[in-house]
Amino acid sequence: MLVLATLGVSLISGLIPIVNAELYLLSIGFVAESWWLAIVIALAAAIGQMVAKVGIYLAARRGAEIPKGKLGARLDSYRRRVDRYPASASALTFTSALIGLPPLYLVSVAAGMGRTSLVGFALYGTLGRTIRFYGVLVAPSVVMSWL
């Protein structure tokens, strides 16, 4: 039940940025006493978030035209860079998913508009989010063990 609740909260938080998955995971960090349960919960949270981010990616890919002006020039530059160096998009997605900068919501939009690989986006985003969420989940236990 906890895994399904985590999946749902994370899906919502992936679409609505003010719903914070990290705060939810911190609050249940004391419940996940075994390492395997923490990994399962972290993976569920990552999958929930990435389902939402892939939806954002696909919406940006299908429905948006590159805007005019400064933003359009940046997105066009991003697209050219990704065409030349496809690994840069994967690295940016992983970094954003792991540390949160730049925000994964914005990276999802840019990746969709920039026509980056959907498989790479989903794979590296899920990997980064799983590591991040596992760290957030075990943080309360680590802090309590020091006290």
Side-chain angles (χ1 to χ4, degrees):
M1 188 66 171
L2 185 59
V3 173
L4 289 176
T6 300
L7 187 68
V9 168
S10 297
L11 179 66
I12 293 168
S13 75
L15 294 171
I16 305 169
I18 61 170
V19 177
N20 194 310
E22 286 85 350
L23 288 177
Y24 169 78
L25 292 171
L26 274 174
S27 71
I28 65 169
F30 294 103
V31 177
E33 294 179 7
S34 65
W35 63 269
W36 63 268
L37 181 58
I39 289 173
V40 170
I41 291 172
L43 188 58
I47 289 170
Q49 279 246 319
M50 288 310 295
V51 165
K53 300 306 183 194
V54 165
I56 293 166
Y57 169 98
L58 290 173
R61 186 174 200 158
R62 289 188 182 134
E65 293 182 22
I66 292 188
K68 306 283 187 237
K70 190 175 182 179
L71 179 60
R74 284 186 178 179
L75 283 171
D76 192 45
S77 170
Y78 172 78
R79 183 183 287 176
R80 284 195 309 268
R81 190 174 323 120
V82 167
D83 288 342
R84 251 183 285 137
Y85 309 105
S88 66
S90 299
L92 178 64
T93 300
F94 178 76
T95 302
S96 175
L98 182 64
I99 64 172
L101 290 174
L104 190 55
Y105 196 96
L106 297 178
V107 170
S108 302
V109 173
M113 292 180 81
R115 309 269 190 236
T116 61
S117 164
L118 175 59
V119 173
F121 173 77
L123 178 69
Y124 289 106
T126 302
L127 180 62
R129 280 296 185 199
T130 301
I131 295 168
R132 176 187 178 100
F133 290 153
Y134 181 77
V136 170
L137 258 174
V138 299
S141 297
V142 170
V143 169
M144 291 305 290
S145 71
W146 289 342
L147 299 177

